[in-house]
Every structure is written in C-alpha cells, then in structure tokens.
Amino acid sequence: MGASRIVILGAPGAGKGTQAARLSAAHGLAHLSTGDMLRAAVADGTPAGLRAKEFMDAGQLVPDEVVFGVLFERLAEANEGYLLDGFPRNAAQAEELDRQLAEQGAPLELAVVVDVPDERLVARLTGRRVCSSCGNTHHVEFMPPAKEGVCDKCGGELVQRSDDTEAVARDRLEVYHQTTAPLIDYYNARDLLASVDGDGPVERVTQDLVEVLSRDVAEQN
Ligand SMILES: [Zn+2]
C-alpha cells in the first residue's frame, strides 16, 4: 500500500487541486481542501462547523484552533487516507498538525510538492480568458478557443479578468514562496518531502504522483 496520509503543496496555478482531485478519485483518498472542508462543516452543522460559522458570519478569519477542529472531524471519517490541500499554510500549523496526529498515532507519511517554474506559472495564471456572456472559461495555451477572443460555447467576447493579470500573478507567487518555503524546509527536515515535476500534461503528472505515493512508503517500511 502507498502513502495514505499526505499533504500536497504547490503554487497557485501548479494544478495541485486538480491533481488532488484525480488522486482522490483513483485511490479513495479523501481530498480535504480547507475552504471546502469549512463550507461542508458549516452546511452539515457539525460542532466545529457551528463554531466556524460564528467567525465566518462575523466576517472574521476562522482561527487555527477551529480549523483544526473541522479538520479532525473529517480525518476521523477518512478511513482510506487523505490528501490535505491548502493546509497547513505555515510551519506553525504544520507543527501543530504533527503534534495532534502523533497523539492519534497516525503521523503524516508524505508531503509532496507539485513543482512548476515561476515563469510557467505566470503563463498559466495570466492565460485564462472568461466569456463575458456565459462565463465559460478558455485558456490561451491549454484550452484555446477555436477563434481567438471568441467563446466556443456561445460566441461571446472572451476577456481577461482583472485578477488574472501578470502583476497579480507575481504577487500571488511571491506570497506563496514566502509562506511555503518554511513548510518545505519543515517537511524536508523530517524526511517527508517529495517533489514531482508539475510542468506537463495532467495525466503524466498524476502518474508521477502515484509513483511517488507508493515509492515513498515502500522505502519507509
Ligand atoms: Zn460564452
């Protein structure tokens, strides 16, 4: 059996969420992304979800302690294992996560980075074009419309959204590097870190991830 308690890391635009969803579907791992997890807990009215709702309703950031509560409600149900996507966000959260998982005797087995060079990320993040009529999304590189600037679905005009510009993309990458670099060091120091080349076709990246997931635990055992 491969690793089943996994953190997946990657920059905005690296395809981390897509890959986590594919791995989850293929291997029965629960795909736990912080935002989805919080929304589901609130919708289900779980104890931690109700606490999270108070902060969300007040327009406040949900404190770590409550996020951990929501997370561990979900982990209790993730019998086949899980992929944490977007959490932990910093070394302090990573340490707390390790502490709580150690208490349960079920430590993380792998932290895997979907690695894509910044220049490629900028191209990905700025290439998105949204139809101004129907909201359909194209990408100049990965999903180009049949006719430049025109929506394949409805013939509407394709526009670049203001948060898809290069300046915004570079800011997001800067934030990513600042917050994730300490996480990478953290997991590397614990021999949990692996990396896959995320700059390529979705299917190939998934294959590489599957390989890393099985290989790493084989080595640890
Ligand atoms: Zn359209």
Side-chain angles (χ1 to χ4, degrees), residues 87-161:
F87 190 88
R89 281 192 321 268
N90 54 52
Q93 289 179 342
E95 269 176 51
E96 177 61 17
L97 179 65
D98 275 352
R99 195 186 64 73
Q100 295 201 28
L101 289 173
E103 269 177 17
Q104 303 195 347
L108 279 182
E109 295 171 309
L110 181 67
V112 62
V113 186
V114 179
D115 191 38
V116 178
D118 275 8
E119 290 316 306
R120 299 287 301 140
L121 290 169
V122 169
R124 289 188 184 190
L125 291 167
T126 57
R128 190 161 67 149
R129 298 292 180 272
V130 183
C131 174
S132 53
S133 300
C134 77
N136 180 36
T137 304
H138 281 283
H139 193 285
V140 294
E141 185 177 348
F142 302 110
M143 215 194 296
K147 186 170 178 231
E148 197 185 324
V150 178
C151 173
D152 276 2
K153 268 195 187 159
C154 77
E157 186 195 356
L158 295 175
V159 296
Q160 185 180 40
R161 293 196 334 194

Side-chain angles (χ1 to χ4, degrees), residues 6 34 71:
I6 303 157
T34 320
L71 173 64

Side-chain angles (χ1 to χ4, degrees), residues 170-209:
R170 290 199 184 276
D171 279 351
R172 290 177 68 194
L173 293 179
E174 181 63 31
V175 169
Y176 167 76
H177 287 303
Q178 278 172 12
T179 55
T180 305
L183 268 184
I184 289 183
D185 293 344
Y186 179 88
Y187 287 122
N188 196 25
R190 282 155 186 78
D191 279 333
L192 290 176
L193 193 73
S195 176
V196 300
D197 173 11
D199 188 13
V202 172
E203 292 78 13
R204 199 271 298 147
V205 178
T206 306
Q207 275 172 20
D208 287 359
L209 280 164

